[in-house]
Amino acid sequence: NLYGFENSPWWMFNSNFKVSDSRTLTVDLSHSLPLTMNSTMYDIGPLFLAIQQGECVELISSESIPYLDDNWMRNTAGIVDYELSDKQFENLTSTTSLVVVRQQVNRESGTYPECDTDDDKLYNVFLNEAMYYIRPAGFYRAQLEFGETAEIPFYVTHLGKPADNVAVNVIVTENGYGTVLPVNGVTVDDTDNVTKSTNSSGIVSFTYRVAKEMSTERKYTISPCKGNQPNVTTIPIDGQVYQFSYSVCITETNCILQDETIGIKGLSSSNGSQPYTWERDIYPIFRQFYHLYPVMRGILNLSDYNSVTQYHNLNLLLYAMSLNFTDANYMPVTRDISPSKQNMIINWIMENLNDMNYDGANTFIASFDDVGLDNVYDHTPELVLYPNCSADNTVIERDYPSCGNEFRFGVYEDFNLVRDSLNNVQNCTRPLFGYRINSQFNQNACNIANLQLQLQDAIEIEFATIPLYLTTLYSIADGCNVEIYNLLRSVVIQEMLHLVQAANILIATGGRPIVDDASVAPNLPTLGLPGCVHPGLYIYLDKLNISYVHDVFAVIEAPNITVVGTTQPQLSNHTIRQFYSEISDCITFLGDGIFIPENEDLQVSWPWPLQKNSTVGQVHIVTNTSTAKDGINEIIEQGEGANLIDPDDADAGQLAHYYRFQEIVCGKKLVNLGDGRYSYSGDDVSFDPNGVWPMRPNISSAGIFPETNCYTEAMAFHKVYRALLRDLQITFDGEPKNIFKVVELMESLLVHAKRVMRVKYDQDYTCGPVWDYEFAEGLDVEEEFEREDSSSATVWYYYVAGAVFIALVIGVLVFIAIFCGRYFSKKAKPSQHNTIPLETLQKPT
């Protein structure tokens, strides 16, 4: 290590270096050099690397370190390399030390001359190699329960070589907030101050032990909080942190203290007994982390029993708390509690999962139903105001044909909603069938190649709907429009299930699902879905609003039916039902022989066992015609309903997606009136537009300026999105267990989406999630300004020349107009004509 002199007016921070066997000296100055307020390199004079030899210095190179060169830090990361001569290598690896020196302008201010030269230049030392260097040979921290121990070895070097028989002292130290209580809760070799000597390899070990039971409250003799606080402050959080400093002692009175410390956390043990309860055992722990990790509130409310005990959230908690400690998705809560408390929580979760038997209406809905308005967390200085949604969520009357009117089984209630023009679809085809009215099963088109192509189209259809539904879901502010949020989330989860199901069928037939590819990922806005599904429908991204749900979402999921009492031509082949029916018919025609038994293990299962009476459906492992058709029927039933229009005949009695969207449109629950009669006249489905972030429609990376909060948050979201696609592709490429990582990334996507929704895009809109496959680099504002400045003379020249030219053209035109007007006014004769009233003219389309 190279250490700086903090009291020096030419202060530089510490640095690291190494000397290789090939005589290359590498020095890392990335954290050493000071910066200006504009983040440019501060000019502290010419700096050199040198070897100090007594009262003089030997420059390693006559060339100074070029830290002031343009883009030096960006191009080199602050790392410099020098080739040493044999003499320099011998000196540096013996008893001399490496230094960073500055050449002094005035001789009077210098200290060291250059060795073996008559040059009168003098140098001051800015960084000096430490004679002794000590560091832990492993972790700098450990977590222990009462009675547990951890042995931590230290490695000591003297000028880069192992230091034999050197005394090392370890002592408990204050952490800046006073002595942590209880005193001596953690000891080192059963004391609070111990000195031991290194062995011939320069290694010495110390044993740390939690000697006292830790409390669930952290106590300080000096308050860590701002303002006038009592001398002793108690903070309710698990465990206590004890810090130990260490030093090398050359003599009994000359010890070199190192900057780093060892941290030992004493964990609070569990005192609970089975059966564990929420109030006594779980809530006191989760409540702490509800405050400590506010970002978690976007996923679940750790302080609320109803939020924690939702089936989806219990499974997420169980998975996150069961990961390896070093896993990036290891739950932060778990890092701060003892293994005994962790096991207690896992046992409590398992007991709840085993006992669960919800009815279908309460399953797999939003992760934070009960999160209130106080859960907004500030993460950036540029925030829009939080949407002020009303407490009762106003019910707005909806003027749509289907709302408030009774309709019968087999009669579609809103004809104009889903019918595309013949002109939009007449040339549309897909692998298994030609796109035409009343097309019949085509045996010639049904082969394994076309089947796999249409299954890939199925994956792309499900993929295309997910960004649409998620963007609208993300636009709902926390605590607002809760019922609509729950409804949308349940649909999104089922769409993900459908994507996995289509992929399983493709894998079972020997195909390879593709998701992580620019040609497959949705490119929004667009006209129509893949596979000739609703080819005339304009599909775009927008925040939650009623007309958007009516015009886009409900159309996508619209049932494939015939309207009673109309003579208008019906297009029956453009719905999702017909698309999947073609796949089902072809599978039946080809038979069980197309399925590969060995591919069963490559298929993806739902990340965790489904709840009893679950309405989310299931992912079928496909081994034959029957299981493949079961999977297809699952997709059709959840989207449109099991029958042509029977809303109740979907999976486990849950409404199909189309009817759930229509409940949002109408603001009322769908009611079965009996005798095949239905009406949107049930309980209110409240919508409050003030509880929606004003997201810019069709947000894209190409329209976001760099170096703005919108750009930063949108880029962060996009990185998680692309990571999700990569992991999903890995899952389909033979690692089905990787689906757990996909679920983790989906939850991370939610957190980033909430962040990006809160930052401004402009004065009218907030930013939003970017689903572009490639994040396009927007205009580099600084480079554009520099370009304009450098060519300002040329720009003004063209401005002036253009203005003169335009003035000349206008003058000529005026002259011609005046001349022609006078000439034709003399020749023209009066004419009679009928005046057409202006209001009768048709507006141009």
Side-chain angles (χ1 to χ4, degrees):
N1 266 27
L2 294 171
Y3 285 91
F5 303 91
E6 295 188 22
N7 296 326
S8 169
W10 316 290
W11 179 76
M12 289 177 64
F13 195 66
N14 301 343
S15 170
N16 296 313
F17 76 95
K18 69 176 181 179
V19 179
S20 69
D21 293 337
S22 60
R23 291 176 166 72
T24 299
L25 168 65
T26 301
V27 183
D28 181 1
L29 298 172
S30 57
H31 278 186
S32 300
L33 296 164
L35 300 177
T36 66
M37 294 299 292
N38 296 324
S39 297
T40 58
M41 305 305 295
Y42 190 88
D43 186 357
I44 56 176
L47 299 177
F48 298 85
L49 281 167
I51 301 172
Q52 185 169 2
Q53 300 186 33
E55 297 302 319
C56 66
V57 293
E58 175 192 351
L59 299 186
I60 290 178
S61 172
S62 59
E63 298 291 331
S64 64
I65 300 171
Y67 68 97
L68 293 176
D69 288 358
D70 291 340
N71 295 321
W72 176 79
M73 182 64 74
R74 177 180 295 181
N75 295 334
T76 67
I79 298 175
V80 293
D81 292 320
Y82 291 91
E83 298 301 323
L84 301 176
S85 66
D86 292 344
K87 179 181 177 182
Q88 290 172 339
F89 180 79
E90 182 181 352
N91 289 340
L92 195 55
T93 55
S94 59
T95 58
T96 56
S97 62
L98 181 69
V99 291
V100 174
V101 296
R102 184 182 77 168
Q103 180 182 326
Q104 296 305 110
V105 177
N106 299 316
R107 182 176 174 83
E108 292 75 15
S109 62
T111 304
Y112 298 101
E114 189 174 350
C115 299
D116 301 326
T117 180
D118 295 331
D119 198 331
D120 60 353
K121 296 176 183 177
L122 292 178
Y123 301 86
N124 276 341
V125 174
F126 275 28
L127 294 179
N128 186 32
E129 180 184 353
M131 297 294 288
Y132 287 90
Y133 179 56
I134 177 174
R135 70 177 188 275
F139 289 109
Y140 280 72
R141 64 188 296 271
Q143 296 193 141
L144 307 171
E145 282 193 78
F146 174 60
E148 292 183 334
T149 62
E151 183 175 346
I152 300 180
F154 288 82
Y155 184 57
V156 185
T157 59
H158 175 59
L159 293 177
K161 297 180 179 179
D164 182 18
N165 197 30
V166 172
V168 176
N169 174 256
V170 175
I171 184 173
V172 66
T173 184
E174 294 186 352
N175 61 8
Y177 300 122
T179 303
V180 178
L181 303 175
V183 176
N184 296 333
V186 176
T187 62
V188 52
D189 287 348
D190 294 324
T191 183
D192 60 352
N193 187 341
V194 62
T195 300
K196 299 170 71 173
S197 296
T198 60
N199 60 21
S200 59
S201 299
I203 296 176
V204 59
S205 297
F206 296 89
T207 301
Y208 296 84
R209 185 171 70 91
V210 177
K212 297 181 181 180
E213 182 65 64
M214 297 292 112
S215 131
T216 56
E217 296 177 332
R218 193 165 294 175
K219 299 180 180 180
Y220 300 89
T221 55
I222 300 176
S223 172
C225 305
K226 296 180 180 179
N228 296 324
Q229 299 289 335
N231 290 333
V232 177
T233 297
T234 299
I235 298 177
I237 190 169
D238 270 344
Q240 316 294 322
V241 177
Y242 295 80
Q243 290 182 335
F244 293 84
S245 60
Y246 47 93
S247 56
V248 174
C249 297
I250 303 173
T251 66
E252 291 185 3
T253 58
N254 183 13
C255 292
I256 304 173
L257 183 66
Q258 304 296 301
D259 289 340
E260 298 86 358
T261 60
I262 287 289
I264 305 296
K265 183 171 183 180
L267 299 170
S268 306
S269 301
S270 168
N271 296 319
S273 58
Q274 292 184 315
Y276 302 118
T277 66
W278 168 260
E279 293 83 2
R280 183 192 67 200
D281 303 308
I282 308 302
Y283 174 76
I285 300 173
F286 277 12
R287 179 66 179 176
Q288 300 172 24
F289 299 105
Y290 165 81
H291 291 292
L292 189 60
Y293 299 101
V295 70
M296 288 287 292
R297 301 174 195 174
I299 299 176
L300 76 159
N301 182 351
L302 284 170
S303 70
D304 184 84
Y305 176 82
N306 292 326
S307 179
V308 170
T309 55
Q310 287 187 26
Y311 184 74
H312 179 62
N313 291 339
L314 283 173
N315 278 288
L316 282 175
L317 285 168
L318 179 62
Y319 175 67
M321 299 189 75
S322 302
L323 292 170
N324 186 278
F325 186 89
T326 59
D327 193 289
N329 290 290
Y330 189 82
M331 192 171 178
V333 170
T334 322
R335 288 195 177 99
D336 292 312
I337 59 177
S338 62
S340 60
K341 284 192 174 183
Q342 180 181 350
N343 291 333
M344 177 184 70
I345 295 171
I346 290 175
N347 286 332
W348 178 82
I349 292 173
M350 292 299 299
E351 290 172 1
N352 278 268
L353 288 174
N354 292 335
D355 294 341
M356 244 174 211
N357 190 13
Y358 293 158
D359 58 41
N362 295 327
T363 309
F364 237 95
I365 53 179
S367 293
F368 53 103
D369 296 354
D370 303 291
V371 175
L373 296 180
D374 62 329
N375 291 334
V376 180
Y377 53 92
D378 294 339
H379 67 280
T380 175
E382 189 182 350
L383 287 172
V384 299
L385 294 177
Y386 186 77
N388 184 25
C389 56
S390 58
D392 56 354
N393 280 0
T394 308
V395 177
I396 303 173
E397 292 295 328
R398 316 287 159 72
D399 186 20
Y400 291 100
S402 61
C403 301
N405 297 323
E406 179 183 318
F407 61 94
R408 287 185 173 275
F409 171 79
V411 180
Y412 180 58
E413 69 269 26
D414 192 352
F415 170 78
N416 292 323
L417 182 64
V418 298
R419 298 309 174 204
D420 293 307
S421 165
L422 281 171
N423 294 329
N424 292 330
V425 301
Q426 60 185 354
N427 296 319
C428 187
T429 61
R430 55 180 176 245
L432 291 180
F433 291 85
Y435 196 95
R436 58 187 184 277
I437 298 176
N438 301 321
S439 63
Q440 302 298 317
F441 179 68
N442 184 350
Q443 293 185 4
N444 294 328
C446 178
N447 54 60
I448 188 63
N450 282 345
L451 174 64
Q452 290 179 346
L453 286 174
Q454 190 144 326
L455 283 168
Q456 177 61 39
D457 282 346
I459 293 171
E460 295 176 29
I461 289 173
E462 305 302 339
F463 191 177
T465 64
I466 292 173
L468 298 176
Y469 299 160
L470 278 180
T471 298
T472 301
L473 179 78
Y474 295 152
S475 72
I476 301 175
D478 291 352
C480 303
N481 297 302
V482 173
E483 188 166 10
I484 295 178
Y485 180 96
N486 295 342
L487 187 152
L488 288 173
R489 184 176 176 94
S490 66
V491 170
V492 168
I493 291 172
Q494 289 184 333
E495 294 297 343
M496 296 174 186
L497 181 148
H498 298 169
L499 188 154
V500 172
Q501 185 63 74
N504 274 359
I505 300 175
L506 182 54
I507 292 171
T509 64
R512 177 178 181 254
I514 305 295
V515 288
D516 188 18
D517 189 273
S519 64
V520 172
N523 185 16
L524 301 168
T526 186
L527 194 65
L529 290 171
C532 283
V533 173
H534 300 300
L537 177 63
Y538 178 60
I539 299 173
Y540 60 100
L541 297 167
D542 204 354
K543 66 181 184 299
L544 173 64
N545 63 83
I546 299 305
S547 61
Y548 179 59
V549 175
H550 176 271
D551 296 341
V552 180
F553 290 6
V555 176
I556 290 174
E557 305 286 356
N560 177 52
I561 61 171
T562 300
V563 178
V564 175
T566 179
T567 58
Q568 185 171 346
Q570 303 305 299
L571 304 178
S572 60
N573 291 347
H574 72 314
T575 65
I576 292 177
R577 165 184 284 273
Q578 184 60 32
F579 175 89
Y580 277 106
S581 296
E582 295 165 4
I583 294 176
S584 181
D585 290 344
C586 187
I587 288 175
T588 301
F589 176 75
L590 295 176
D592 292 343
I594 63 173
F595 299 102
I596 303 173
E598 294 80 8
N599 286 7
E600 180 178 349
D601 293 337
L602 302 178
Q603 297 178 45
V604 181
S605 299
W606 197 242
W608 37 72
L610 290 173
Q611 186 180 348
K612 300 174 184 177
N613 300 325
S614 170
T615 60
V616 72
Q618 59 179 312
V619 175
H620 297 266
I621 300 299
V622 177
T623 57
N624 52 38
T625 300
S626 176
T627 51
K629 296 182 72 171
D630 286 344
I632 293 172
N633 290 335
E634 187 95 24
I635 297 172
I636 295 174
E637 291 172 12
Q638 291 179 344
E640 301 182 16
N643 267 316
L644 293 183
I645 195 173
D646 188 355
D648 289 332
D649 197 9
D651 189 51
Q654 189 182 51
L655 287 180
H657 297 175
Y658 169 76
Y659 301 99
R660 280 184 262 176
F661 289 146
Q662 286 294 81
E663 287 184 333
I664 298 175
V665 170
C666 296
K668 295 285 185 178
K669 288 286 188 180
L670 184 64
V671 177
N672 187 341
L673 303 176
D675 299 326
R677 297 178 300 122
Y678 296 88
S679 172
Y680 294 102
S681 57
D683 294 338
D684 292 336
V685 178
S686 303
F687 170 66
D688 185 353
N690 291 325
V692 179
W693 293 103
M695 183 200 81
R696 184 184 188 276
N698 289 326
I699 189 78
S700 170
S701 58
I704 302 176
F705 279 96
E707 299 184 9
T708 62
N709 284 349
C710 179
Y711 184 92
T712 301
E713 298 293 358
M715 173 67 85
F717 174 90
H718 184 264
K719 287 181 178 179
V720 178
Y721 168 56
R722 287 298 305 275
L724 187 150
L725 294 187
R726 286 193 294 272
D727 269 306
L728 188 58
Q729 188 65 63
I730 291 171
T731 302
F732 292 151
D733 283 346
E735 298 184 29
K737 297 298 183 183
N738 200 62
I739 190 66
F740 286 102
K741 288 189 177 181
V742 176
V743 172
E744 296 165 8
L745 289 168
M746 281 301 303
E747 298 300 337
S748 297
L749 206 64
L750 171 64
V751 174
H752 284 283
K754 287 178 172 294
R755 294 170 65 98
V756 74
M757 281 289 185
R758 286 169 163 83
V759 298
K760 289 181 180 179
Y761 178 83
D762 55 25
Q763 294 303 312
D764 299 319
Y765 296 109
T766 61
C767 200
V770 169
W771 301 96
D772 305 344
Y773 185 78
E774 298 290 349
F775 197 96
E777 293 295 331
L779 176 68
D780 190 326
V781 181
E782 290 187 0
E783 290 184 5
E784 187 70 15
F785 287 162
E786 291 174 1
R787 205 158 46 239
E788 290 179 2
D789 292 340
S790 64
S791 59
S792 58
T794 304
V795 171
W796 279 110
Y797 170 81
Y798 283 115
Y799 281 168
V800 173
V804 172
F805 175 76
I806 291 172
L808 289 173
V809 171
I810 292 174
V812 172
L813 292 175
V814 169
F815 173 79
I816 294 173
I818 294 173
F819 175 80
C820 293
R822 289 179 178 178
Y823 177 79
F824 286 108
S825 64
K826 297 177 181 179
K827 299 291 184 180
K829 295 180 180 179
S831 61
Q832 301 295 325
H833 61 272
N834 295 325
T835 302
I836 301 175
L838 183 63
E839 60 271 15
T840 64
L841 295 175
Q842 184 177 5
K843 294 181 179 180
T845 58

